[in-house]
Amino acid sequence: MDLRIFTEPQQGASYDTLLTVAKATEDLGFDAFFRSDHYLKMGDGDGLPGPTDAWITLAGLARETKRIRLGTLMTAATFRLPGVLAIQVAQVDQMSGGRVELGLGAGWFEEEHTAYGIPFPKEKFSRLEEQLEIVTGLWATEPGQSFDFHGKHYELTKSPALPKPAQHKIPVLIGGHGATRTPRLAARYADEFNMPFGSVEDSETQFGRVRAAAQEAGRAADAITFSNALVVCVGKDDQEVARRAASIGREVDELKTNGLAGTPAEVVDKIGRYAAVGSRRIYLQILDLDDLDHLELISAQVASQLS
């Protein structure tokens, strides 16, 4: 079971804070550092000092880290033109020496689009599908060849399809709860399918849908890695769990129901339940980015039991 650190910088984090967390992620032996791709805070809090751009952040971290994988859960297809996105991600992959992964989603948070003048189209899913075809098609085009695409939303003519990533194939992550279109899209494009903030039971159901869609599309049953994203709140005892829950404005019982919360033994046990339904990777949503002791505890007493 891989454990990855997943941050939500729109809630309030500077690049320097993210760099500190990414370096701790690497030093403590976690597999990867991922971040959300949002420009507006959600819920309570002031969101200061303001948003940071996902791919600019990852470009910086690519030069400041050596081992960990770097990526997004999820880049919004509404934020960037697909040709530009393919260039950005390929460049960051080169800057990292081939450690980048692209999580790509349709985009859903209308308020952030309104706040920063970003169009929020009605037909988001069909745009996502075209973006996936374009981005992966540009990367796969042989050097010296050109790429053309003529879709409903995007047109590319005689693209040189450059630059190329450092990796032969950048892993693509697709996720979500949708029962029909999402599994079909994952079956066609995903190297990894991520179930965000879902129960063990809901994860098992959705993983089954994706497996069935993959088999129908002619892919091997083990061609897709299954993963979960879950909020995490671990303490060495009940008092420390309660303190960490309070610091992020959540209740312990709710966190235990909907995330990974409790003592290390409790969290290891629940991770085992996700593993039993096919999850091979957990993205630990860290909401207090100043609490590096939290990461140290997870590394020492949770990750150590899963290796």
Side-chain angles (χ1 to χ4, degrees):
M1 177 67 75
D2 293 334
L3 294 186
R4 296 182 161 189
I5 299 303
F6 170 42
T7 62
E8 300 272 9
Q10 76 279 354
Q11 299 305 104
S14 66
Y15 171 76
D16 287 339
T17 297
L18 296 172
L19 175 59
T20 297
V21 175
K23 286 186 172 181
T25 297
E26 184 158 86
D27 293 343
L28 292 169
F30 293 102
D31 182 61
F33 175 94
F34 271 58
R35 58 156 293 164
S36 60
D37 190 9
H38 287 293
Y39 293 129
L40 197 67
K41 73 176 183 68
M42 303 167 198
D44 297 332
D46 54 25
L48 295 175
T52 49
D53 182 82
W55 286 101
I56 291 177
T57 296
L58 295 175
L61 298 181
R63 307 303 289 177
E64 297 283 355
T65 57
K66 292 180 171 49
R67 178 188 59 80
I68 51 173
R69 307 289 294 177
L70 301 166
T72 51
L73 283 182
M74 299 284 188
T75 286
T78 49
F79 287 172
R80 298 167 181 87
L81 296 171
V84 174
L85 180 62
I87 291 170
Q88 290 173 323
V89 179
Q91 183 179 0
V92 178
D93 194 52
Q94 292 174 354
M95 293 169 70
S96 71
R99 293 183 285 124
V100 159
E101 304 185 11
L102 172 63
L104 189 59
W108 61 271
F109 189 21
E110 185 172 5
E111 288 84 351
E112 68 186 336
H113 294 74
T114 302
Y116 286 97
I118 304 168
F120 190 68
K122 291 183 178 179
E123 295 181 350
K124 292 182 288 297
F125 200 90
S126 60
R127 287 175 181 269
L128 170 62
E129 189 164 9
E130 288 193 11
Q131 284 222 359
L132 284 162
E133 185 169 351
I134 292 166
V135 170
T136 57
L138 287 168
W139 292 338
T141 299
E142 292 295 326
Q145 301 296 312
S146 62
F147 177 83
D148 291 84
F149 180 86
H150 305 287
K152 180 178 179 182
H153 305 290
Y154 304 105
E155 292 269 345
L156 284 76
T157 303
K158 296 183 180 178
S159 172
L162 297 171
K164 297 303 182 192
Q167 298 175 85
H168 174 69
K169 186 181 189 307
I170 291 179
V172 172
L173 289 72
I174 294 173
H177 296 257
T180 304
R181 293 190 298 175
T182 297
R184 284 204 301 260
L185 203 62
R188 183 174 179 186
Y189 294 106
D191 299 286
E192 177 178 334
F193 180 81
N194 180 263
M195 182 65 167
F197 311 110
S199 67
V200 173
E201 295 76 18
D202 288 346
S203 297
E204 182 176 24
T205 298
Q206 189 69 335
F207 292 167
R209 291 176 181 139
V210 174
R211 285 193 193 94
Q215 290 172 351
E216 186 176 340
R219 295 184 68 182
D222 60 352
I224 299 174
T225 297
F226 293 94
S227 65
N228 289 87
L230 295 160
V231 63
V232 66
C233 180
V234 186
K236 63 180 182 293
D237 52 36
D238 290 344
Q239 289 74 25
E240 190 166 82
V241 175
R243 175 178 64 76
R244 287 203 164 103
S247 74
I248 59 174
R250 304 280 284 269
E251 297 292 332
V252 172
D253 289 345
E254 179 268 323
L255 286 170
K256 288 187 175 183
T257 299
N258 298 315
L260 299 172
T263 63
E266 290 177 290
V267 170
V268 168
D269 178 71
K270 190 163 186 182
I271 289 175
R273 293 170 55 199
Y274 281 96
V277 300
S279 185
R280 294 294 174 262
R281 186 170 290 154
I282 303 289
Y283 293 82
L284 303 171
Q285 185 194 45
I286 303 291
L287 296 179
D288 184 352
L289 299 182
D290 295 319
D291 186 2
L292 297 183
D293 290 342
H294 193 197
L295 298 186
E296 292 181 8
L297 177 65
I298 296 169
S299 174
Q301 298 193 33
V302 176
S304 63
Q305 296 187 59
L306 299 171
S307 60

PDB file of all heavy atoms in Angstrom, residues 46-61:
ATOM      1  N   ASP A  46      -9.903  32.182   6.001  1.00  0.00           N
ATOM      2  CA  ASP A  46      -9.696  33.326   5.115  1.00  0.00           C
ATOM      3  C   ASP A  46      -8.926  32.978   3.847  1.00  0.00           C
ATOM      4  O   ASP A  46      -8.834  33.792   2.926  1.00  0.00           O
ATOM      5  CB  ASP A  46      -8.974  34.451   5.865  1.00  0.00           C
ATOM      6  CG  ASP A  46      -7.668  34.006   6.513  1.00  0.00           C
ATOM      7  OD1 ASP A  46      -7.073  33.018   6.037  1.00  0.00           O
ATOM      8  OD2 ASP A  46      -7.241  34.651   7.486  1.00  0.00           O
ATOM      9  N   GLY A  47      -8.344  31.781   3.794  1.00  0.00           N
ATOM     10  CA  GLY A  47      -7.623  31.379   2.598  1.00  0.00           C
ATOM     11  C   GLY A  47      -6.316  32.114   2.367  1.00  0.00           C
ATOM     12  O   GLY A  47      -5.707  31.974   1.294  1.00  0.00           O
ATOM     13  N   LEU A  48      -5.858  32.888   3.341  1.00  0.00           N
ATOM     14  CA  LEU A  48      -4.632  33.662   3.170  1.00  0.00           C
ATOM     15  C   LEU A  48      -3.406  32.756   3.134  1.00  0.00           C
ATOM     16  O   LEU A  48      -3.375  31.739   3.823  1.00  0.00           O
ATOM     17  CB  LEU A  48      -4.513  34.680   4.301  1.00  0.00           C
ATOM     18  CG  LEU A  48      -5.596  35.771   4.311  1.00  0.00           C
ATOM     19  CD1 LEU A  48      -5.436  36.649   5.540  1.00  0.00           C
ATOM     20  CD2 LEU A  48      -5.536  36.601   3.041  1.00  0.00           C
ATOM     21  N   PRO A  49      -2.409  33.090   2.346  1.00  0.00           N
ATOM     22  CA  PRO A  49      -2.194  34.350   1.609  1.00  0.00           C
ATOM     23  C   PRO A  49      -2.837  34.394   0.226  1.00  0.00           C
ATOM     24  O   PRO A  49      -2.591  35.319  -0.540  1.00  0.00           O
ATOM     25  CB  PRO A  49      -0.669  34.385   1.476  1.00  0.00           C
ATOM     26  CG  PRO A  49      -0.281  32.965   1.355  1.00  0.00           C
ATOM     27  CD  PRO A  49      -1.216  32.222   2.270  1.00  0.00           C
ATOM     28  N   GLY A  50      -3.653  33.426  -0.118  1.00  0.00           N
ATOM     29  CA  GLY A  50      -4.291  33.383  -1.430  1.00  0.00           C
ATOM     30  C   GLY A  50      -3.846  32.157  -2.202  1.00  0.00           C
ATOM     31  O   GLY A  50      -2.957  31.418  -1.774  1.00  0.00           O
ATOM     32  N   PRO A  51      -4.451  31.934  -3.363  1.00  0.00           N
ATOM     33  CA  PRO A  51      -4.185  30.698  -4.094  1.00  0.00           C
ATOM     34  C   PRO A  51      -2.797  30.645  -4.703  1.00  0.00           C
ATOM     35  O   PRO A  51      -2.167  31.673  -4.974  1.00  0.00           O
ATOM     36  CB  PRO A  51      -5.259  30.697  -5.188  1.00  0.00           C
ATOM     37  CG  PRO A  51      -5.559  32.150  -5.413  1.00  0.00           C
ATOM     38  CD  PRO A  51      -5.436  32.794  -4.062  1.00  0.00           C
ATOM     39  N   THR A  52      -2.324  29.433  -4.907  1.00  0.00           N
ATOM     40  CA  THR A  52      -1.110  29.180  -5.678  1.00  0.00           C
ATOM     41  C   THR A  52      -1.508  28.292  -6.855  1.00  0.00           C
ATOM     42  O   THR A  52      -2.388  27.457  -6.731  1.00  0.00           O
ATOM     43  CB  THR A  52      -0.048  28.461  -4.832  1.00  0.00           C
ATOM     44  OG1 THR A  52      -0.652  27.338  -4.176  1.00  0.00           O
ATOM     45  CG2 THR A  52       0.550  29.390  -3.790  1.00  0.00           C
ATOM     46  N   ASP A  53      -0.848  28.471  -7.976  1.00  0.00           N
ATOM     47  CA  ASP A  53      -1.174  27.681  -9.159  1.00  0.00           C
ATOM     48  C   ASP A  53      -0.549  26.295  -9.047  1.00  0.00           C
ATOM     49  O   ASP A  53       0.626  26.144  -8.689  1.00  0.00           O
ATOM     50  CB  ASP A  53      -0.667  28.381 -10.413  1.00  0.00           C
ATOM     51  CG  ASP A  53      -1.025  27.601 -11.669  1.00  0.00           C
ATOM     52  OD1 ASP A  53      -2.164  27.737 -12.134  1.00  0.00           O
ATOM     53  OD2 ASP A  53      -0.167  26.834 -12.146  1.00  0.00           O
ATOM     54  N   ALA A  54      -1.332  25.274  -9.375  1.00  0.00           N
ATOM     55  CA  ALA A  54      -0.876  23.898  -9.185  1.00  0.00           C
ATOM     56  C   ALA A  54       0.389  23.594  -9.971  1.00  0.00           C
ATOM     57  O   ALA A  54       1.370  23.060  -9.432  1.00  0.00           O
ATOM     58  CB  ALA A  54      -1.989  22.917  -9.569  1.00  0.00           C
ATOM     59  N   TRP A  55       0.412  23.917 -11.260  1.00  0.00           N
ATOM     60  CA  TRP A  55       1.547  23.485 -12.079  1.00  0.00           C
ATOM     61  C   TRP A  55       2.766  24.372 -11.910  1.00  0.00           C
ATOM     62  O   TRP A  55       3.909  23.906 -12.077  1.00  0.00           O
ATOM     63  CB  TRP A  55       1.124  23.308 -13.529  1.00  0.00           C
ATOM     64  CG  TRP A  55       0.310  22.058 -13.639  1.00  0.00           C
ATOM     65  CD1 TRP A  55      -1.052  21.955 -13.719  1.00  0.00           C
ATOM     66  CD2 TRP A  55       0.807  20.721 -13.547  1.00  0.00           C
ATOM     67  NE1 TRP A  55      -1.432  20.638 -13.700  1.00  0.00           N
ATOM     68  CE2 TRP A  55      -0.315  19.857 -13.594  1.00  0.00           C
ATOM     69  CE3 TRP A  55       2.075  20.165 -13.432  1.00  0.00           C
ATOM     70  CZ2 TRP A  55      -0.184  18.465 -13.528  1.00  0.00           C
ATOM     71  CZ3 TRP A  55       2.209  18.777 -13.365  1.00  0.00           C
ATOM     72  CH2 TRP A  55       1.087  17.947 -13.416  1.00  0.00           C
ATOM     73  N   ILE A  56       2.579  25.630 -11.527  1.00  0.00           N
ATOM     74  CA  ILE A  56       3.732  26.451 -11.148  1.00  0.00           C
ATOM     75  C   ILE A  56       4.340  25.909  -9.861  1.00  0.00           C
ATOM     76  O   ILE A  56       5.566  25.787  -9.729  1.00  0.00           O
ATOM     77  CB  ILE A  56       3.330  27.924 -11.013  1.00  0.00           C
ATOM     78  CG1 ILE A  56       2.987  28.508 -12.385  1.00  0.00           C
ATOM     79  CG2 ILE A  56       4.450  28.733 -10.362  1.00  0.00           C
ATOM     80  CD1 ILE A  56       2.505  29.935 -12.356  1.00  0.00           C
ATOM     81  N   THR A  57       3.485  25.557  -8.904  1.00  0.00           N
ATOM     82  CA  THR A  57       3.971  24.952  -7.657  1.00  0.00           C
ATOM     83  C   THR A  57       4.761  23.684  -7.940  1.00  0.00           C
ATOM     84  O   THR A  57       5.876  23.496  -7.434  1.00  0.00           O
ATOM     85  CB  THR A  57       2.792  24.619  -6.726  1.00  0.00           C
ATOM     86  OG1 THR A  57       2.137  25.818  -6.330  1.00  0.00           O
ATOM     87  CG2 THR A  57       3.266  23.889  -5.483  1.00  0.00           C
ATOM     88  N   LEU A  58       4.203  22.800  -8.742  1.00  0.00           N
ATOM     89  CA  LEU A  58       4.860  21.522  -9.004  1.00  0.00           C
ATOM     90  C   LEU A  58       6.161  21.707  -9.778  1.00  0.00           C
ATOM     91  O   LEU A  58       7.111  20.926  -9.600  1.00  0.00           O
ATOM     92  CB  LEU A  58       3.908  20.582  -9.733  1.00  0.00           C
ATOM     93  CG  LEU A  58       2.678  20.159  -8.916  1.00  0.00           C
ATOM     94  CD1 LEU A  58       1.734  19.322  -9.767  1.00  0.00           C
ATOM     95  CD2 LEU A  58       3.077  19.393  -7.659  1.00  0.00           C
ATOM     96  N   ALA A  59       6.225  22.728 -10.627  1.00  0.00           N
ATOM     97  CA  ALA A  59       7.480  23.018 -11.317  1.00  0.00           C
ATOM     98  C   ALA A  59       8.567  23.385 -10.312  1.00  0.00           C
ATOM     99  O   ALA A  59       9.715  22.907 -10.410  1.00  0.00           O
ATOM    100  CB  ALA A  59       7.283  24.145 -12.326  1.00  0.00           C
ATOM    101  N   GLY A  60       8.222  24.220  -9.335  1.00  0.00           N
ATOM    102  CA  GLY A  60       9.189  24.566  -8.302  1.00  0.00           C
ATOM    103  C   GLY A  60       9.619  23.360  -7.498  1.00  0.00           C
ATOM    104  O   GLY A  60      10.815  23.141  -7.256  1.00  0.00           O
ATOM    105  N   LEU A  61       8.646  22.540  -7.099  1.00  0.00           N
ATOM    106  CA  LEU A  61       8.949  21.364  -6.296  1.00  0.00           C
ATOM    107  C   LEU A  61       9.753  20.337  -7.081  1.00  0.00           C
ATOM    108  O   LEU A  61      10.537  19.575  -6.503  1.00  0.00           O
ATOM    109  CB  LEU A  61       7.656  20.729  -5.780  1.00  0.00           C
ATOM    110  CG  LEU A  61       6.797  21.598  -4.856  1.00  0.00           C
ATOM    111  CD1 LEU A  61       5.562  20.828  -4.412  1.00  0.00           C
ATOM    112  CD2 LEU A  61       7.590  22.076  -3.648  1.00  0.00           C
TER     113      LEU A  61
END
